[in-house]
Amino acid sequence: MTIPRKNWMLVLAAVGMLTFACEAQEPATPAGTAASPAAPSAQSSNAPSARETGGFLGLGKKEVYTGPTEVVVLSPTPMLDNEGKQRLDPDGKPMFNPPVKQQRDKYGHPLFDEHGKPVFQTATELGYDEHGHKIHAEKVKPPKMTPVTIAQGTYTVDGIIGKAELNYDIANLKYIYLYAPGIGVTVISNEPFPGAKLQANAFNDKTLTVNVGEHTLQLYSEKRLFAKPEPAYVLVDRDFMLPSKFPVMGYGELRAPPYAWPGAKQAKVQAGSVVPPPLPVNLRPVLLLEPCPAGQMRQSAPKVLPGEVAPPQPCVPIAKAQPSTSSSKQ
C-alpha cells in the first residue's frame, strides 16, 4: 500500500516529538562519571557575589531576594568645631551632621560585608539607589570668602572714641558686632539676613558707619575695608547686655545670642532684684583707715597703682623726743 506524501510528513513529525520526550526523561549522569564537556557549569558566571546580594549566598540572577529591604540609618551626630565644641548655626541653634545611611548594592538591596555587618556610605562611596543606579557624590563648590582687615582701628559712638587700637584679620567676614551700653549690640553684615535693614554705602573706603536711632556708630581702619562702597545690613538687639561700661567691638558667625566672639558674655538676668556687675578694680573706692589710738601713728607706705593691693600699715608707738647734745650743754 502506498502512503501519501502528506501522511509521511505527519509520521516523521510524530517520531521527532517522541525522540525529544525520551531524551528529556534520561537519568542524570551517575556519580563518579565524568560530565559531558558540553554540560553547563553548576554556578552561572552572572550570579552576584555575597557582597552584592547583601551577604546572602546562593542568590542567582533570576531568584527572588528574601533578605532585609530597609537600609540602616545612623542617628545624626553633633557637628564640632576645631576646638571640639558644639557648632551653632547663624541663629544660635546646635548643628548636627547629616545621618549616615547604609549602602545598597547594584541590585538595590541593602549591602552587608562578609561578617554580615552593614556597609555605610562614605564621602566618596555612596553605593547604589533602590533602582540599582550608581550614586555619584555631588561636587561641592567652595564657599566664597570675604576677607577683611582692620588695622589700628577705632570704634566711635556719636563721635566719641570708645575703643582704639583695634586689629583684626578676618578670614571670612560674616557679622560684625558693635556693642554700646544703653544701645545694645548692633549686628552688621555685607550680605542680607533675616530681620536686617539695609543702610546704603555703610562700608565706604576705610570706614563703616551705621545709624541706630539717634546714635551713629562708626568703625575706622587704616586699611581699606572693601574695594568699593558696599551696603550694610543692620540688626539691633537692644536686649543684649555685656558686663562692660565701655563700647565693645567684635565679629563672628552668629546673628543671634550669644554672639560668640572673644570676650563677649551675656549678662545673666534673674527675676526680681538684679545684681549689677562688679566695678573694675581701678574704679573701686579706697576706704580710709581707722585712726590710730593716742600715742600711735601709721608709717608711710609706698604709693600703689590703681587696682594694686596696698601693703599693711599697722599703728606703731610714737617715739619720744630725745634732748639734743647742744641743749644739754647749755
Side-chain angles (χ1 to χ4, degrees):
M1 182 177 65
T2 303
I3 301 175
R5 182 180 180 85
K6 181 179 182 180
N7 292 344
W8 274 111
M9 297 296 293
L10 295 175
V11 172
L12 292 176
V15 172
M17 294 178 62
L18 180 62
T19 303
F20 178 80
C22 292
E23 291 176 354
Q25 294 179 359
E26 287 183 358
T29 303
T33 62
S36 175
S41 59
Q43 185 177 1
S44 174
S45 59
N46 294 329
S49 64
R51 178 180 176 86
E52 296 173 338
T53 59
F56 294 90
L57 296 174
L59 180 62
K61 185 176 181 180
K62 296 183 179 180
E63 295 185 32
V64 179
Y65 177 80
T66 59
T69 57
E70 298 293 333
V71 297
V72 180
V73 181
L74 300 180
S75 301
T77 56
M79 188 179 296
L80 306 179
D81 58 12
N82 296 333
E83 299 179 357
K85 299 179 181 179
Q86 172 77 64
R87 289 192 61 184
L88 303 177
D89 65 8
D91 294 320
K93 298 179 181 179
M95 299 178 64
F96 295 89
N97 295 309
V100 180
K101 296 182 179 180
Q102 183 183 6
Q103 293 187 33
R104 293 181 183 268
D105 59 19
K106 62 181 180 180
Y107 300 99
H109 306 143
L111 183 61
F112 296 84
D113 60 12
E114 60 273 12
H115 303 291
K117 296 182 179 180
V119 179
F120 293 99
Q121 295 177 339
T122 63
T124 57
E125 184 57 48
L126 300 177
Y128 299 80
D129 62 11
E130 61 272 15
H131 304 293
H133 299 149
K134 182 68 175 178
I135 303 176
H136 299 281
E138 297 182 0
K139 294 182 179 180
V140 180
K141 186 178 180 180
K144 180 183 178 182
M145 306 292 283
T146 307
V148 173
T149 299
I150 300 174
Q152 294 297 319
T154 56
Y155 168 32
T156 60
V157 179
D158 297 329
I160 301 175
I161 297 179
K163 211 73 175 178
E165 297 184 0
L166 299 174
N167 294 278
Y168 295 105
D169 287 323
I170 306 174
N172 186 23
L173 175 65
K174 291 295 184 180
Y175 303 99
I176 290 177
Y177 311 128
L178 298 180
Y179 173 80
I183 298 177
V185 63
T186 303
V187 185
I188 306 168
S189 177
N190 64 319
E191 297 289 342
F193 63 94
K197 295 183 179 180
L198 172 66
Q199 293 193 19
N201 297 327
F203 290 95
N204 193 346
D205 196 23
K206 298 180 180 181
T207 60
L208 165 62
T209 307
V210 296
N211 297 315
V212 180
E214 66 277 10
H215 300 286
T216 300
L217 311 180
Q218 186 176 85
L219 178 66
Y220 170 80
S221 171
E222 290 188 356
K223 290 187 177 182
R224 177 177 295 180
L225 299 176
F226 290 106
K228 60 180 181 179
E230 295 280 350
Y233 298 87
V234 182
L235 173 66
V236 182
D237 186 354
R238 296 186 179 275
D239 296 329
F240 184 81
M241 295 185 300
L242 287 177
S244 173
K245 59 184 298 185
F246 303 103
V248 179
M249 180 266 171
Y251 68 94
E253 299 183 356
L254 303 182
R255 56 174 177 248
Y259 306 111
W261 82 82
K265 296 181 180 179
Q266 188 174 9
K268 296 182 179 180
V269 180
Q270 301 177 353
S273 60
V274 178
V275 179
L279 289 174
V281 178
N282 58 340
L283 297 180
R284 295 176 185 176
V286 179
L287 300 179
L288 296 177
L289 300 175
E290 294 290 336
C292 291
Q296 295 185 3
M297 61 175 294
R298 296 186 186 277
Q299 292 181 341
S300 59
K303 292 183 178 181
V304 296
L305 298 175
E308 292 184 346
V309 179
Q313 295 176 262
C315 296
V316 296
I318 300 175
K320 294 182 179 180
Q322 296 295 332
S324 61
T325 308
S326 60
S327 60
S328 60
K329 289 182 180 180
Q330 294 176 358

